[in-house]
Amino acid sequence: MATHLPSQKYLSTRGGSYGLSFEEVVLKGLASDGGLFIPEQIPSLPENWFQAWKSLSFQELAFEVLSLYISPSEIPHSDLKELITRSYSTFRHPKVTPLRPLLPDEHLHLLELFHGPTFAFKDVALQFVGNLFEYFLVRKNKAAVEGQRHHLTVVGATSGDTGSAAIYGLRGKKDVSVFILHPKGRVSPIQEAQMTTVLDKNVHNVAVEGTFDDCQDIVKTLFSDPEFNKAHNLGAVNSINWARILAQIVYYFHSYFAIVPSNLTSPDPSFKLQYIVPTGNFGDILAGYFAKRMGLPIAKLHISTNPNDILDRFVKSGVYEKHFVTGKAAEGGLIEDGVKADPAGVKETLSPAMDILVSSNFERLLWYLALETETAGGKDQAAAGAVVKDWMESLKATGRIAVSDATLAACRRDFGSQRVSDETTVVTIKSVFTNPATGRYILDPHSAVGVAGALRVIAARKAETGGKLQDNEHFISLSTAHPAKFSHAVDLALGKVEGYGFEELVRPKEFIGLEQRERRCRDVERAEAELVKRVIVEELEAEKRA
């Protein structure tokens, strides 16, 4: 592809595919060898990026970042600008992802990512992804006759927010059917209502008896089945789809420019910025890693996990290992917010969207770590793919990966990590609300995991500097969901606090009456790929008849 820069061509993390176009990786989602797509090269920022970008709107900044990864031979610049404009016209805030001070004395800021149509950070990516799917399909079908049209069957798994964001991004799109698997009884009532009350004929919800990881495994099984994939032309919307990671890179740049002094004409090397990200599947923080590798001056990225802490344990030990929790030890969280005791090994928490055994996007980071530390000269992409393939086969066979000291050191250079308990989550929601500096700000439990991790990072930094932060160092914690999506956890933390009222302070008007609306959903009694295949075939046939 002579028209594509190396950053606009894509490969599989497991070495089975190279030289793919952006359109191919967006529509395929998952590589045929089971790997995830990444650019063949991470682009460097233009020489004048700071001066040229610092005053741009979110939409203008999105165009500059995305065009580094998308060749204009695939999406002309005018079309890309129109796609971006359309995608973010659905957001309630003019800045799309506004940055607000949370605790000024601690230099802590909150990046609000929940101003999209489903009140979750995943809207930032999935509004764009939905428009991308439609753009590519309309182009493919311009000359197609009826019966020979190119049709995409999008299949995804959700622990809550991905499902509703994907559905709202794809509802009513021509030539696209969307199937969202969720673990039955393990998403909050609001999340379930947001998904199942969308009655567009191309939207199909599937409730699976099992965990989110079971749903994710079924999705990967479907994509790895060449016959089923070919017959139904599967596409992915989970964070395994590269376009989702790409769209999320933008708000790291946007928040950076929101916080640096406006009189600067170039980056100040003394300005230290650290991000703290509540993390389950690793996609949100991975976008920050790409921004950092591109050249955005980020001092450190901090993972903040709940008790499902496979990532925290990896950063501390170099061992990436499934940690199964069963019986009483697995119980926790709130049934009303979407958790249920389950024998499959996930610890139930107040932040159920992060209740995972493995992080599906972590494979992408492992590829870059392998390239740097496990290959000759750090440049042999094929060798890196072979290493990752071995690691992932080991994870599947034994439930663990152990990396070298050099690989772990490379990870720790860019990442720190914290593990936050449910008890600390509750305390953090309460302490932030009651702190006069915050103006009675209410965190959802996932955002509280991030803020709790941030406060530990800040405390550690103060211990290094004798108790005082420097004027030029700041901390940004990502706020990933509106508190109304996890109302019972918020009530648990604030129900007895003077001045708190859910109806007055939390519930948005868009949620009123949502749970009473008509619903449509198919139940699957066991977490088996063959049962889900049967549902997909039946629903597609019914959709065609309709």
Side-chain angles (χ1 to χ4, degrees):
M1 292 185 288
T3 56
H4 290 59
L5 299 172
S7 63
Q8 297 165 344
K9 295 184 287 187
Y10 295 87
L11 58 81
S12 167
T13 51
R14 300 189 191 180
S17 303
Y18 291 89
L20 280 78
S21 69
F22 179 70
E23 179 177 352
E24 286 175 312
V25 303
V26 169
L27 294 179
K28 283 174 66 71
L30 187 70
S32 55
D33 62 0
L36 307 182
F37 293 117
I38 52 175
E40 292 188 0
Q41 181 178 303
I42 298 176
S44 297
L45 296 175
E47 189 173 340
N48 67 335
W49 71 275
F50 185 93
Q51 188 68 21
W53 294 4
K54 70 174 186 176
S55 299
L56 298 182
S57 68
F58 183 93
Q59 292 86 339
E60 292 167 334
L61 199 52
F63 171 75
E64 298 296 339
V65 172
L66 270 55
S67 61
L68 296 176
Y69 292 90
I70 304 170
S71 169
S73 67
E74 291 195 69
I75 304 179
H77 285 169
S78 59
D79 290 358
L80 182 57
K81 288 178 180 179
E82 199 279 328
L83 283 169
I84 290 167
T85 298
R86 196 189 324 155
S87 298
Y88 300 113
S89 66
T90 59
F91 280 65
R92 298 180 302 281
H93 197 286
K95 293 185 178 179
V96 182
T97 59
L99 185 71
R100 59 160 292 152
L102 185 67
L103 295 169
D105 289 347
E106 305 295 334
H107 297 195
L108 178 59
H109 310 259
L110 203 63
L111 181 55
E112 292 184 339
L113 303 176
F114 53 75
H115 292 283
T118 71
F119 294 77
F121 84 97
K122 294 170 184 180
D123 288 323
V124 178
L126 285 167
Q127 286 294 300
F128 178 64
V129 171
N131 285 317
L132 271 180
F133 282 154
E134 185 174 55
Y135 177 84
F136 289 139
L137 290 168
V138 166
R139 186 166 66 186
K140 282 177 177 290
N141 288 327
K142 269 187 177 179
V145 297
E146 201 61 41
Q148 296 179 353
R149 297 181 66 84
H150 189 91
H151 186 94
L152 187 68
T153 304
V154 172
V155 183
T158 187
S159 53
D161 289 337
T162 293
S164 56
I167 286 167
Y168 276 69
L170 291 168
R171 63 185 302 181
K173 301 293 185 188
K174 193 168 186 180
D175 298 312
V176 181
S177 300
V178 55
F179 289 82
I180 297 298
L181 282 60
H182 70 267
K184 188 174 182 179
R186 292 182 66 91
V187 298
S188 75
I190 281 292
Q191 289 174 319
E192 184 177 339
Q194 281 185 311
M195 292 188 289
T196 58
T197 59
V198 176
L199 304 179
D200 298 63
K201 68 177 184 179
N202 71 322
V203 172
H204 309 276
N205 284 281
V206 182
V208 178
E209 286 287 355
T211 66
F212 168 70
D213 291 289
D214 292 328
C215 295
Q216 187 86 300
D217 286 344
I218 289 171
V219 170
K220 288 189 174 184
T221 299
L222 298 187
F223 276 92
S224 299
D225 182 333
E227 290 185 12
F228 191 80
N229 199 328
K230 183 178 180 180
H232 301 289
N233 194 26
L234 301 188
V237 289
N238 282 75
S239 54
I240 57 176
N241 192 304
W242 163 250
R244 279 191 55 181
I245 306 300
L246 176 58
Q248 291 172 178
I249 295 172
V250 178
Y251 49 69
Y252 285 90
F253 282 90
H254 192 243
S255 57
Y256 170 80
F257 285 119
I259 202 171
V260 294
S262 58
N263 62 339
L264 292 181
T265 58
S266 61
D268 180 357
S270 68
F271 188 84
K272 303 297 182 186
L273 182 58
Q274 301 187 55
Y275 284 86
I276 302 89
V277 185
T279 305
N281 265 320
F282 201 72
D284 208 0
I285 198 167
L286 182 67
Y289 174 78
F290 276 98
K292 190 175 191 296
R293 288 285 305 271
M294 290 169 70
L296 188 66
I298 298 173
K300 199 95 171 185
L301 294 157
H302 296 272
I303 297 161
S304 198
T305 77
N306 68 17
N308 294 288
D309 59 353
I310 187 170
L311 292 169
D312 180 64
R313 286 182 282 115
F314 175 82
V315 173
K316 289 179 168 60
S317 69
V319 177
Y320 185 75
E321 185 173 21
K322 295 181 182 181
H323 184 192
F324 294 94
V325 185
T326 58
K328 285 288 184 183
E331 295 177 3
L334 295 167
I335 293 174
E336 298 89 346
D337 274 351
V339 299
K340 182 181 70 172
D342 194 287
V346 177
K347 167 65 178 173
E348 293 160 346
T349 74
L350 296 174
S351 46
M354 294 156 57
D355 289 351
I356 49 88
L357 278 177
V358 294
S359 296
S360 59
N361 264 292
F362 193 59
E363 182 174 338
R364 285 184 162 113
L365 177 66
L366 287 175
W367 188 90
Y368 287 105
L369 296 176
L371 181 68
E372 178 182 347
T373 64
E374 303 292 335
T375 68
K379 295 182 179 180
D380 190 337
Q381 294 182 337
V387 170
V388 170
K389 184 179 179 182
D390 286 346
W391 280 342
M392 301 315 292
E393 288 176 351
S394 172
L395 181 66
K396 186 175 182 178
T398 68
R400 74 192 302 268
I401 301 169
V403 302
S404 66
D405 290 345
T407 300
L408 180 58
C411 177
R412 288 175 173 171
R413 179 188 60 222
D414 295 319
F415 293 94
S417 186
Q418 303 288 335
R419 177 189 187 275
V420 176
S421 68
D422 273 355
E423 292 78 11
T424 301
T425 299
V426 170
V427 168
T428 302
I429 294 172
K430 185 175 181 179
S431 64
V432 166
F433 180 77
T434 56
N435 189 320
T438 71
R440 298 199 304 176
Y441 194 89
I442 300 175
L443 297 166
D444 96 284
H446 305 78
S447 303
V449 169
V451 169
L455 292 174
R456 291 181 190 168
V457 171
I458 293 167
R461 177 61 182 154
K462 281 184 171 181
E464 294 173 356
T465 59
K468 183 174 174 58
L469 296 171
Q470 298 174 5
D471 291 341
N472 61 353
E473 59 182 331
H474 292 268
F475 306 84
I476 294 178
S477 186
L478 274 58
S479 181
T480 55
H482 191 283
K485 300 198 78 168
F486 302 94
S487 58
H488 295 88
V490 173
D491 282 345
L492 178 66
L494 302 179
K496 297 181 180 180
V497 176
E498 184 178 353
Y500 168 75
F502 179 79
E503 296 297 332
E504 300 85 357
L505 299 179
V506 183
R507 189 191 298 273
K509 65 181 186 299
E510 292 87 348
F511 285 9
I512 296 173
L514 183 62
E515 294 178 56
Q516 283 72 53
R517 294 179 190 169
E518 180 185 352
R519 304 186 184 206
R520 192 175 77 243
C521 184
R522 288 284 300 269
D523 288 349
V524 173
E525 63 271 21
R526 296 186 304 279
E528 295 178 7
E530 291 302 318
L531 296 178
V532 173
K533 284 181 185 179
R534 191 182 308 158
V535 168
I536 290 174
V537 171
E538 291 171 358
E539 291 293 315
L540 286 174
E541 289 176 351
E543 184 182 330
K544 287 177 183 177
R545 289 195 299 271

